[in-house]
Amino acid sequence: MPSVLIKTYGCQMNERDTEQVLSMFLAGGYDITKNEDDADVILINTCSVREKAELKALGKMGLLCSRPNAKPWVVYGFMGCMSQSRSNTLFRDIARLDIVTGTHQYHNVYKLCNRLLRNRLAQNITEPIKRGAHICAVAHEDGFQNAIKDHLPPSGNCTAFVSIMQGCDMKCSYCIVPSTRGEECSRPMNDILIEARELVERGVKEITLLGQIVNRYGREEPIINGRGAFVRLLEALHEIDGLERIRFTSPHPIGFRQDLVNAYTYLPKLCSHIHFPMQSGSDRILKLMLRPYKNEKYLKLCEDMREARPDLAITTDIIVGFPGETHEDYLQTKAAVERIQFDNAFIFQYSPRKDTPAAVMENQICLRVKEERNHDLLECVNRIATARNQALVGTTQTILVEGPSKNNPNRLQGRTSQNKPVIIEGGSAQVGTIVPVTITECTGFTLYANVQQ
Ligand code: SAH
Ligand code: SF4
Ligand code: F3S
């Protein structure tokens, strides 16, 4: 039986897309492997959001393609966002590469790879191939969002991602995603509910809804009884017996209405965590970023949600060193971090992206200043996050037990409703169950706990 390996970079959307592609290989009789030497098909699902992510994928593929003892017939492919943005120029970078597929072509990946592999196996290739097949499929397809099905997370998983929409219609001046993922379009609610029910039947307890601006889901639909389509979707998912936890990522202040704030008061399955990107605490920078709202609106939404759900954990994304960012702008970002007391923040140094307006703005910030701000803000974020985690020691939390801890395979690991990882030190629990635990210790971002018997 041939085997396939997919390496995934980037966001949860890529992780979900990888699962979809793997499920098609499984259905075609392939084994899934983690071993590069075993694999007959090796794919990298790529991210373009920052230059580093692209360089990582290019470097990895370069190494894979030049392994001296690899099986000569291996099919090598790039999928995802970098494929979409760089398309067939990737063959110039890596001549041995066979296949490049874009973000609207996931459903064709299996067919293209399998056909090529079968051809090669039939030819009894023994010599290393120098130049790959150079097959490129990056066209956008209408109605593509309805092809997002056949979704099979690795069996035994009690958590799953569900894409509820594709693409992004915003034009944040730094961001490549609208050009890699295409226009925003939502899946029919019924398809999503059917998929969620199937996942629950297979043992899934927690679903994370995915979209670039997830709260804009179904925005062309009417508001009914004060509730927009996204909140109606949350309510419908909430009705599913056996589904215990609902998460979503990422929301955006645009289109974030009171109905979503209120949802935290009457939907107990909605987890007490929101990843809510702030990007900057300076209105001047937000304007240059083409994010059409003031920081105060963002801060107010955080505070309103905390009022609706007092134990809500808020995490965020912040860009430092956006073109023109002054020390004063930076200090405003830092002040916003202090005000909201985030549970965690991902800090990114601005990375100029191809064909985006910010890449050609004047006053690009030098690497040294970006690094200084990154370092300074990270210290601030870590101090706040550690204090918030420390405050949980001694409390009771409920965790969904997900499986062995990555760092310590002898221990089980779960996550709290606030999305904090917890390693079980004492007491017994079964994977896939939700159990109460007492938090006994905290080291930075990891909590340790005993199961309450
Ligand atoms: N759709 C999501 C964000 C997706 S990209 C949203 O709008 O909330 C994930 C994060 O990458 C962004 O929140 C942003 O902080 C960061 N990012 C995007 N483009 C970037 C760039 N050019 N340089 C640095 N960070 C970037
Ligand atoms: Fe990028 Fe902005 Fe769209 Fe998010 S909302 S994906 S940051 S353009
Ligand atoms: Fe990266 Fe594409 Fe996600 S650029 S962040 S993998 S949408």
Side-chain angles (χ1 to χ4, degrees):
M1 229 191 278
S3 60
V4 58
L5 177 148
I6 306 186
K7 210 169 156 43
T8 309
Y9 297 105
C11 61
Q12 289 106 328
M13 220 164 258
N14 269 16
E15 286 181 40
R16 198 225 72 98
D17 294 335
T18 293
E19 287 172 3
Q20 181 183 352
V21 175
L22 282 177
S23 80
M24 294 180 79
F25 276 95
L26 269 182
Y30 279 64
D31 279 334
I32 296 174
T33 177
K34 291 198 165 88
N35 184 336
E36 293 166 1
D37 296 331
D38 282 351
D40 302 285
V41 174
I42 302 186
L43 299 167
I44 300 185
N45 199 0
T46 58
C47 172
S48 273
V49 78
R50 285 167 292 277
E51 189 185 15
K52 258 192 203 155
E54 291 198 345
L55 294 178
K56 242 200 233 162
L58 285 166
K60 181 73 195 171
M61 187 59 91
L63 286 175
L64 285 167
C65 288
S66 55
R67 292 170 304 153
N69 299 321
K71 300 175 185 173
W73 55 82
V74 174
V75 171
Y76 294 101
F78 274 134
M79 355 184 250
C81 289
M82 183 174 71
S83 296
Q84 193 68 51
S85 86
R86 295 203 181 191
S87 167
N88 55 12
T89 67
L90 288 164
F91 298 123
R92 284 204 310 249
D93 298 330
I94 304 173
R96 174 61 180 85
L97 190 63
D98 293 304
I99 292 178
V100 167
T101 57
T103 53
H104 284 201
Q105 296 287 339
Y106 284 111
H107 55 294
N108 289 324
V109 172
Y110 166 69
K111 200 171 59 195
L112 293 170
C113 292
N114 185 49
R115 196 186 294 152
L116 182 57
L117 181 68
R118 300 286 170 195
N119 264 336
R120 283 190 180 156
L121 291 177
Q123 285 168 31
N124 250 335
I125 296 172
T126 51
E127 287 300 303
I129 299 172
K130 294 223 164 48
R131 189 177 185 280
H134 294 201
I135 298 164
C136 187
V138 295
H140 278 296
E141 280 190 16
D142 282 345
F144 161 77
Q145 78 274 22
N146 302 332
I148 310 169
K149 286 181 191 150
D150 300 323
H151 172 221
L152 191 76
S155 70
N157 271 24
C158 55
T159 63
F161 295 124
V162 173
S163 276
I164 64 169
M165 58 208 290
Q166 279 292 315
C168 179
D169 282 351
M170 301 301 278
K171 296 196 164 42
C172 299
S173 59
Y174 51 82
C175 185
I176 199 167
V177 171
S179 77
T180 63
R181 290 272 171 176
E183 283 172 17
E184 182 187 283
C185 44
S186 300
R187 286 176 70 193
M189 192 178 303
N190 225 9
D191 283 8
I192 298 169
L193 294 174
I194 290 169
E195 181 177 340
R197 285 192 205 102
E198 280 172 1
L199 289 167
V200 170
E201 269 164 31
R202 296 221 324 265
V204 166
K205 298 278 163 52
E206 174 184 303
I207 280 178
T208 303
L209 306 176
L210 301 179
Q212 290 302 342
I213 304 190
V214 74
N215 50 308
R216 297 234 297 184
Y217 171 77
R219 77 194 150 95
E220 57 292 326
E221 287 174 37
I223 292 179
I224 302 172
N225 295 333
R227 291 153 165 82
F230 181 60
V231 171
R232 282 187 273 122
L233 174 64
L234 293 177
E235 290 177 348
L237 288 164
H238 205 272
E239 295 286 304
I240 298 178
D241 280 339
L243 179 60
E244 307 288 347
R245 289 180 160 188
I246 305 168
R247 303 181 185 275
F248 57 81
T249 195
S250 291
H252 189 294
I254 292 298
F256 199 122
R257 288 188 314 270
Q258 190 61 33
D259 59 340
L260 184 49
V261 176
N262 294 345
Y264 281 98
T265 63
Y266 67 89
L267 295 179
K269 292 181 180 177
L270 193 57
C271 287
S272 293
H273 168 238
I274 190 163
H275 181 72
F276 192 25
M278 177 172 84
Q279 313 301 2
S280 170
S282 152
D283 286 342
R284 208 179 66 78
I285 294 299
L286 285 174
K287 200 165 172 197
L288 289 171
M289 287 177 163
L290 302 181
R291 306 232 343 152
Y293 59 90
K294 296 257 192 305
N295 185 238
E296 187 57 33
K297 173 175 170 144
Y298 172 88
L299 300 175
K300 176 89 174 32
L301 279 168
C302 290
E303 287 166 355
D304 288 352
M305 283 187 287
R306 281 236 177 93
E307 210 175 305
R309 180 70 72 83
D311 71 341
L312 187 75
I314 305 178
T315 57
T316 196
D317 292 341
I318 294 169
I319 297 177
V320 292
F322 185 83
E325 185 186 68
T326 61
H327 188 60
E328 179 53 36
D329 293 316
Y330 168 68
L331 290 180
Q332 287 177 14
T333 297
K334 202 170 163 185
V337 168
E338 293 281 0
R339 173 163 156 191
I340 297 303
Q341 298 274 300
F342 292 110
D343 289 79
N344 197 4
F346 299 106
I347 303 164
F348 303 114
Q349 295 179 26
Y350 168 70
S351 168
R353 308 313 297 129
K354 196 177 90 176
D355 300 331
T356 58
V360 290
M361 282 180 185
E362 283 172 16
N363 301 321
Q364 297 283 328
I365 305 297
C366 71
L367 187 60
R368 187 181 53 80
V369 171
K370 282 183 192 169
E371 275 172 357
E372 269 170 23
R373 289 179 187 165
N374 187 348
H375 182 76
D376 183 59
L377 197 57
L378 196 61
E379 245 173 35
C380 171
V381 164
N382 287 347
R383 172 176 41 80
I384 293 167
T386 307
R388 289 182 69 84
N389 287 342
Q390 206 72 53
L392 295 173
V393 174
T395 64
T396 295
Q397 302 287 326
T398 47
I399 64 168
L400 172 58
V401 185
E402 291 176 356
S405 149
K406 279 201 189 90
N407 299 330
N408 185 351
N410 299 321
R411 296 266 187 276
L412 287 177
Q413 179 174 316
R415 269 177 309 130
T416 65
S417 173
Q418 292 186 326
N419 206 31
K420 302 196 189 245
V422 176
I423 294 178
I424 301 177
E425 288 285 313
S428 62
Q430 262 189 322
V431 173
T433 59
I434 294 183
V435 293
V437 298
T438 310
I439 307 292
T440 53
E441 205 192 327
C442 141
T443 54
F445 286 97
T446 307
L447 301 169
Y448 296 84
N450 292 329
V451 177
Q452 295 178 357
Q453 300 297 343

